[in-house]
Amino acid sequence: ATSGSRGRSQSITSITDVSIYQNKQRKSMLSSAATTLLKRTAAPSVLKRTAAPAVGAVRNLNLHEYQSARIMSEMGVNVPFGIPAHTVQQAVDAAEKIGDEDVVIKSQILAGGRGLGKFMDNDDGTPGLQGGVHVIQTSEVHDYASKMLGKTLVTKQSGPAGKPVNTILLAKKMSLAREFYFAIMMDRASGGPIIIACSEGGTSIEDLAEKYPEKIIKVPVDLSEGLTDAKAMQVVEGLTVSGDKDAAMQQIRNLYDLFVKRDCTMVEVNPLAEDTDGNLIAADAKIGFDDNAEFRQYDIFDQRDLSQEDPREVEAGKWDLNYIGLDGNIGCMVNGAGLAMSTMDIISLNGGKPANFLDVGGGATSEQVKAAFEIITSDPHVEAILVNIFGGIMKCDIIAQGIIEASKALDLKVPVVVRLEGTNVEIGKKMLEDSGLALITAEDLDDAAAKAVAAIQ
């Protein structure tokens, strides 16, 4: 394997088995019920053409429900009236402004399955609130908001650590007659957007897709043609809409326009509901936005909620490093996406488990290398670090200088295995030898992986 150039938003795949890296819920464009449906209902030929799962740099920004609803409303999509609240008093004021006897209170986290989630137990040991979404009386808002704000909600998609609830949404209770499922995402097989819809929706959409795949409709859209009337009607009929079909088609067009004009990687509405008058309403939505379009979607990217992200990944982004935390104990620092994936594979083949993916790229400075070490060692599970550098654009002596500075500044307590090859490799090795540091050198990648695994046994 060799290293290659990489951009901030590069998608990374491995030609070898990458299933070991799918042990942590990710915020990527393929971590949704929409993808579940696409995979479970795909024809065999489609599955064969699908590349390995992307586990590299995150390619999309996710927003909270209340933020997504605001953007959808601006695009002409029907959404329930709602008011976000960041404090208990704001929640009480919002409920009073809505003015109904009952109100919907919804925790805002960047993970699905909120309704069936559970808040972590309180500091005093009392059980946390069951469920992140409730229909309650307005008089109960103060009590529920107190039990939700500042707490951690754990769902099927959040991972065991859960996500902090810093915002709740107070929404008007709607009279919904039916619930559907609707999503738009990019499809590799068709080479463009694909609309996925189901005449039944709600929290059990994944189970429904597994049991009744025939109820799922998929409508690929040609980007050069856009969403034609015929395809919009195909979606409306697939949803079995009972109201005004022309109005329903317009809602489908508005959702598609949102996907295209706002540079979305995914628009998932679950449920897309029908009220008692037959109107379609996006009752809940999850939207992802392509990082590559940040330069023309500033208003959207300014809404990024860093509290919902791994702080190590946030810090890596500040240094233009690609980092993803995993659950192993051998930290990795590599240049180039392909080499990084190969390094992780060979660690696994030698009986170890990688603790992270970290690509320093082709033009890293010694300061970036030091920052990479700081990020890796911030993981308490890391027991050893493997540095694997193929010096092309990146010179081995720059990496060596960064390793030396990081080792001295951070007073590293874990063994560090270093394999250097390529431009200025002899200079780099000499610098490491003369540093007086207890570094473990390796001749090749397999030797490095074996030494890293042996160092923790």
Side-chain angles (χ1 to χ4, degrees):
T2 61
S3 65
S5 62
R6 68 108 173 96
R8 175 174 170 271
S9 301
Q10 181 180 16
S11 179
I12 301 168
T13 57
S14 170
I15 59 173
T16 52
D17 180 17
V18 298
S19 62
I20 60 170
Y21 310 130
Q22 293 183 291
N23 49 27
K24 180 179 179 183
Q25 289 292 344
R26 297 290 300 130
K27 57 185 178 180
S28 70
M29 60 184 287
L30 299 181
S31 61
S32 68
T35 303
T36 302
L37 299 187
L38 189 60
K39 290 179 178 178
R40 289 178 175 173
T41 61
S45 60
V46 173
L47 290 175
K48 289 179 181 178
R49 293 173 61 184
T50 301
V55 297
V58 176
R59 282 199 63 248
N60 67 309
L61 166 77
N62 290 323
L63 295 184
H64 290 291
E65 175 192 2
Y66 75 94
Q67 297 168 320
S68 299
R70 185 186 304 129
I71 295 170
M72 294 172 77
S73 178
E74 292 170 354
M75 296 298 297
V77 178
N78 297 331
V79 297
F81 177 73
I83 304 173
H86 307 287
T87 67
V88 174
Q89 187 57 50
Q90 287 180 359
V92 172
D93 294 342
E96 291 178 353
K97 185 173 182 179
I98 292 173
D100 295 336
E101 182 178 345
D102 293 331
V103 68
V104 184
I105 186 168
K106 312 174 85 173
S107 55
Q108 300 293 285
I109 63 170
L110 295 182
R114 293 171 297 165
L116 299 178
K118 184 183 185 302
F119 285 87
M120 286 188 173
D121 292 346
N122 300 307
D123 294 337
D124 60 4
T126 57
L129 182 66
Q130 179 68 47
V133 178
H134 297 271
V135 179
I136 60 176
Q137 294 182 350
T138 298
S139 60
E140 298 177 295
V141 168
H142 188 284
D143 180 49
Y144 273 80
S146 300
K147 295 177 180 177
M148 299 169 79
L149 284 169
K151 310 297 183 182
T152 301
L153 180 62
V154 180
T155 75
K156 286 184 177 180
Q157 294 187 22
S158 71
K163 298 284 186 181
V165 177
N166 300 316
T167 306
I168 54 178
L169 176 65
L170 283 297
K172 188 177 183 65
K173 181 183 176 182
M174 307 296 293
S175 297
L176 304 179
R178 303 172 62 201
E179 293 186 348
F180 311 127
Y181 178 89
F182 178 92
I184 310 175
M185 62 185 300
M186 296 302 294
D187 177 37
R188 289 178 177 176
S190 62
I194 187 168
I195 296 176
I196 305 171
C198 182
S199 57
E200 298 186 38
T203 57
S204 62
I205 185 64
E206 292 91 346
D207 294 336
L208 178 68
E210 185 173 10
K211 294 180 181 179
Y212 308 107
E214 71 279 0
K215 293 188 177 183
I216 309 299
I217 65 166
K218 296 184 295 178
V219 182
V221 180
D222 188 329
L223 275 172
S224 61
E225 293 182 352
L227 183 62
T228 64
D229 289 345
K231 291 194 172 182
M233 180 56 72
Q234 182 181 350
V235 175
V236 169
E237 291 179 345
L239 291 172
T240 66
V241 172
S242 63
D244 186 335
K245 287 185 169 51
D246 288 336
M249 286 175 60
Q250 187 58 52
Q251 286 297 298
I252 301 302
R253 290 192 197 96
N254 291 345
L255 286 164
Y256 179 79
D257 287 344
L258 165 67
F259 181 83
V260 174
K261 293 179 180 179
R262 283 305 209 165
D263 294 301
C264 299
T265 54
M266 177 186 68
V267 174
E268 183 179 41
V269 185
N270 187 24
L272 175 64
E274 188 177 67
D275 66 14
T276 53
D277 294 325
N279 300 311
L280 287 184
I281 300 173
D284 196 356
K286 180 192 299 181
I287 307 178
F289 302 87
D290 193 332
D291 280 357
N292 291 312
E294 181 177 358
F295 71 96
R296 63 185 178 199
Q297 303 290 353
Y298 283 122
D299 61 321
I300 289 177
F301 281 80
D302 283 345
Q303 301 178 58
R304 181 182 179 187
D305 185 356
L306 298 180
S307 71
Q308 299 289 308
E309 303 179 27
D310 187 329
R312 296 169 299 177
E313 296 178 19
V314 174
E315 183 65 21
K318 295 178 181 178
W319 289 94
D320 199 26
L321 303 170
N322 285 327
Y323 175 92
I324 294 176
L326 300 171
D327 64 357
N329 54 4
I330 298 178
C332 305
M333 187 177 74
V334 190
N335 69 317
L339 186 60
M341 295 298 290
S342 299
T343 301
M344 297 163 72
D345 286 335
I346 294 179
I347 288 174
S348 298
L349 289 173
N350 278 273
K353 293 189 68 177
N356 64 272
F357 170 100
L358 196 153
D359 171 19
V360 298
T365 64
S366 59
E367 289 80 9
Q368 286 175 298
V369 173
K370 179 183 175 183
F373 269 98
E374 291 176 339
I375 293 167
I376 292 173
T377 55
S378 68
D379 182 350
H381 299 103
V382 169
E383 299 178 16
I385 299 174
L386 194 161
V387 179
N388 184 26
I389 299 298
F390 184 87
I393 301 174
M394 166 58 67
K395 296 179 174 60
C396 292
D397 56 321
I398 298 297
I399 289 291
Q401 183 63 37
I403 294 172
I404 294 169
E405 291 180 3
S407 298
K408 292 180 178 179
L410 301 177
D411 189 23
L412 295 177
K413 303 296 184 183
V414 297
V416 178
V417 179
V418 182
R419 179 256 183 169
L420 301 177
E421 191 59 68
T423 306
N424 292 351
V425 62
E426 296 304 326
I427 298 175
K429 287 182 177 180
K430 186 69 165 55
M431 291 173 65
L432 295 177
E433 291 174 2
D434 295 343
S435 68
L437 298 171
L439 301 171
I440 303 172
T441 58
E443 293 302 317
D444 54 42
L445 179 52
D446 192 56
D447 182 40
K451 288 180 176 178
V453 173
I456 62 175
Q457 291 178 342

